[in-house]
Amino acid sequence: MNIELLVVGKTDSKEVEALVELYARRVNRYCRFAVTALPDVRNTRSLTQNQQRTAEGEAILRQLAAGDHVVLLDERGLLDLPFLALTVLLVLIGVVMVFSASYARAYYLTGNSTYYFARQAIFAVVGIGGMLFVSRLNYQLWRSASFIILAVSVVFLMLVPLIGSTANGAKRWIEVAGIRFQPSELAKIAIIMTFSAMISTYRDKMRTFRYGIAPFGAIMIVLCGLVALERHFSCILIMLLLAAAMLFLGGVQIKWFALGGAAVAVFMFVYLKTQGYAGSRITAWRDPASDPTDNGYQILQSLYAIGSGGLMGLGLGKSCQKYLYLPEEHNDYIFPILCEELGFVGAVVVILLFILLIVRGYYIAMHARDRFGALLAAGISTHFALQTFLNIGVVTNFLPATGISLPFFSYGGTALLMQLFEAGIVLAVSRQNDNKLL
C-alpha cells in the first residue's frame, strides 16, 4: 500500500497528533511514503511504536521531531474493485443495448444505423477515463468546490429559458460549441455535494431550524423554481427526494419531513393542475387503453415490448417494438427493449447488477473515513437508486410517465458523463476507507 503524506498548511498540534496516530496504525514494512515539507508546525512527536518499526517510519519520526514537517491526511489505497467492476459492466451492457435499441431509428433519421451507438460509445470511453481520474483525487476537494458547482448550476439554469435549445417540445438544454448538455443534471450533483459539505459542517446543529432546515430549504426553492420553468417535473421530483434523503442522513428531526411532505404535496397538486401535459400523463397512467393513440400510446407499446420478451427473450437485436413503434426506445424506454430481447431472466440480471452497485455504494459510505465522505457516497448511491427505481417504475406503468433516464443505459452524453463522474467520487471515497474488505 502507498501512503502519500501531503502538506496541509498550519494545523493545530493536537489535531496533527491525532492524525498521525490514525495513520500510524497502517504503517508497516510494506508501505512506501512521500513527505512534503511545511514550516511553522511544532510539537508533533506523538507517534506510536508501530510506526517506528520501519526505516520509513523512523525517517518520518525524525522529521516530525525536528518540528518542520507535518503529515497529512491523504491515503491512496486501492479502488473498490466490486464497485468499479459493476459500474463498467453496466456501462458496457448499456452501450450494447443502445446499439440494439437505436439502429432502426438512427437509420431512419440519419441514414447511419450506428449514429447513436457511436456517440454513446465515445461518451462511455471518455466517461470511464474521467471516472478513473476523479477516483485519484482527494474527495475533500469537493467540499470546497461544492458551492462553486452549485453557483454554476444556478447560472446555467437561469440561462436555459433565455438561450436554451428545445428538443421534443421541452426547453431544457444549453448548446455550446455543438455540445448540448442539461444543467439540471449538474444541479443534482450540486445538491449532493453542497448538502454533504453543509451537514458535515453543522453536525449537531442539524436538529435546529436555523441550521438544519433554513439554508437547505433556500437552496431547494431556488433550484426547484428554476427547473420548474423548464417544465421538468421528473427532475424536481428527484431533487426533492435527494434532498430529503440527505437531510435524513444528516439527522434532521422527523417532524420537518412531515411538514416538508405536506408542502411538496401542495406544490405537486398545483403543478399538475396548472401543467396540462402532466395531468394528461396521470390519466394515461390510470388507464392507458382509454387513449391508445395519444397519451396512452407510449406506455402501451412499452408493455407490449415487455410482455413479448417472455422468459428468455426474443434474442439480442431481435426486438420488434424498436422499429419505430415504441418512442424513445433508446432513451428513457430502453429497459422495455432489454426485456423484449433478453426476457425476464435478462431483466432480472440487470436489476440485480443495479442492486449490487447501490448496496456496494452504501457499504463504501458506511466505511468512509469521515462524515463528508460517507454523505457523498450515500447521496450518490441514493441518486442511482432513485433514478433506477423511477425509470423502471415508469416503463412498467407502476408510476406515471416522467422523463427519467435509466443510469448507464439511456442514450445521452451529459447524463452518462455525470453518472460516471459520480461513480468516480464514490471510488475516491473507497480509496481512503478504513475498511478494505471486499
Side-chain angles (χ1 to χ4, degrees):
M1 180 185 296
N2 298 327
I3 298 180
E4 187 172 2
L5 309 175
L6 302 176
V7 172
V8 278
K10 292 186 178 181
T11 309
D12 180 76
S13 60
K14 292 183 179 179
E15 182 183 356
V16 174
E17 289 176 6
L19 291 168
V20 171
E21 289 190 0
L22 173 65
Y23 282 91
R25 294 197 299 269
R26 296 181 177 276
V27 178
N28 55 51
R29 57 199 176 98
Y30 299 107
C31 293
R32 296 192 298 272
F33 297 89
V35 180
T36 304
L38 177 72
D40 300 326
V41 178
R42 301 289 188 250
N43 301 322
T44 347
R45 297 186 174 88
S46 177
L47 299 178
T48 63
Q49 293 181 353
N50 290 335
Q51 190 170 5
Q52 300 180 46
R53 293 178 181 175
T54 63
E56 294 93 340
E58 292 171 359
I60 294 172
L61 176 62
R62 288 193 298 271
Q63 292 173 329
L64 290 171
D68 293 329
H69 300 77
V70 65
V71 179
L72 177 98
L73 294 195
D74 194 332
E75 179 183 337
R76 305 297 190 186
L78 297 175
L79 290 174
D80 188 86
L81 295 181
F83 189 89
L84 175 63
L86 288 166
T87 301
V88 173
L89 181 58
L90 284 169
V91 171
L92 292 177
I93 297 174
V95 170
V96 172
M97 287 309 306
V98 165
F99 174 66
S100 180
S102 69
Y103 69 75
R105 188 172 299 275
Y107 184 79
Y108 175 76
L109 294 177
T110 69
N112 179 7
S113 60
T114 63
Y115 176 79
Y116 295 115
F117 165 73
R119 292 171 65 88
Q120 189 77 348
I122 292 172
F123 280 117
V125 172
V126 173
I128 291 175
M131 176 184 69
L132 295 175
F133 173 76
V134 171
S135 73
R136 302 287 299 178
L137 301 176
N138 187 339
Y139 65 83
Q140 296 295 337
L141 164 70
W142 308 114
R143 184 193 295 268
S144 55
S146 60
F147 294 97
I148 298 175
I149 295 174
L150 177 64
V152 170
S153 66
V154 169
V155 171
F156 279 132
L157 287 172
M158 293 173 65
L159 291 175
V160 169
L162 302 176
I163 61 172
S165 58
T166 302
N168 297 326
K171 197 173 185 179
R172 300 170 184 170
W173 291 264
I174 290 179
E175 189 167 344
V176 179
I179 299 176
R180 192 174 65 176
F181 69 97
Q182 202 167 358
S184 58
E185 294 294 332
L186 183 61
K188 297 174 188 176
I189 299 177
I191 290 173
I192 296 172
M193 290 184 176
T194 307
F195 279 35
S196 297
M198 294 170 66
I199 292 171
S200 60
T201 299
Y202 294 150
R203 293 182 175 271
D204 296 336
K205 296 179 181 179
M206 287 297 298
R207 298 183 66 82
T208 66
F209 176 81
R210 179 180 178 182
Y211 293 98
I213 299 298
F216 301 96
I219 292 172
M220 293 309 300
I221 288 173
V222 172
L223 291 178
C224 290
L226 291 172
V227 175
L229 297 177
E230 304 176 6
R231 301 177 65 184
H232 198 177
F233 177 74
S234 60
C235 182
I236 295 175
L237 177 63
I238 290 178
M239 291 196 302
L240 290 173
L241 292 174
L242 262 180
M246 297 298 292
L247 292 177
F248 177 78
L249 294 172
V252 170
Q253 297 183 63
I254 299 298
K255 66 178 182 181
W256 296 116
F257 289 100
L259 294 173
V264 170
V266 172
F267 168 80
M268 290 177 63
F269 177 79
V270 174
Y271 189 86
L272 293 175
K273 284 294 184 181
T274 56
Q275 302 294 327
Y277 81 98
S280 63
R281 288 183 177 183
I282 297 295
T283 303
W285 167 61
R286 295 177 61 184
D287 185 13
S290 64
D291 191 7
T293 61
D294 190 7
N295 292 321
Y297 175 80
Q298 189 171 33
I299 189 60
L300 285 176
Q301 298 302 319
S302 175
L303 295 176
Y304 293 156
I306 295 171
S308 299
L311 181 64
M312 302 302 295
L314 303 178
L316 185 64
K318 297 182 179 180
S319 165
C320 297
Q321 292 300 109
K322 68 185 177 186
Y323 288 99
L324 309 184
Y325 291 104
L326 175 62
E328 301 294 329
E329 73 290 330
H330 61 295
N331 200 338
D332 295 349
Y333 280 75
I334 194 171
F335 187 74
I337 302 300
L338 184 148
C339 293
E340 185 179 12
E341 295 188 349
L342 303 183
F344 176 78
V345 173
V348 168
V349 169
V350 170
I351 291 173
L352 285 176
L353 289 176
F354 274 113
I355 292 174
L356 290 173
L357 178 75
I358 293 162
V359 170
R360 190 65 187 181
Y362 284 123
Y363 175 88
I364 293 171
M366 291 173 62
H367 294 85
R369 193 179 62 187
D370 57 22
R371 188 176 179 85
F372 178 67
L375 289 167
L376 269 182
I380 290 170
S381 300
T382 302
H383 183 201
F384 290 159
L386 285 173
Q387 289 222 181
T388 302
F389 172 76
L390 291 174
N391 176 270
I392 294 176
V394 165
V395 301
T396 57
N397 205 36
F398 180 73
L399 298 171
T402 57
I404 296 177
S405 62
L406 184 62
F408 309 118
F409 275 72
S410 296
Y411 173 78
T414 302
L416 182 59
L417 290 178
M418 291 297 179
Q419 289 154 9
L420 289 172
F421 171 70
E422 292 179 83
I425 294 175
V426 176
L427 289 172
V429 174
S430 76
R431 292 173 69 91
Q432 304 185 38
N433 276 3
D434 289 331
N435 190 328
K436 294 296 182 182
L437 296 177
L438 294 179

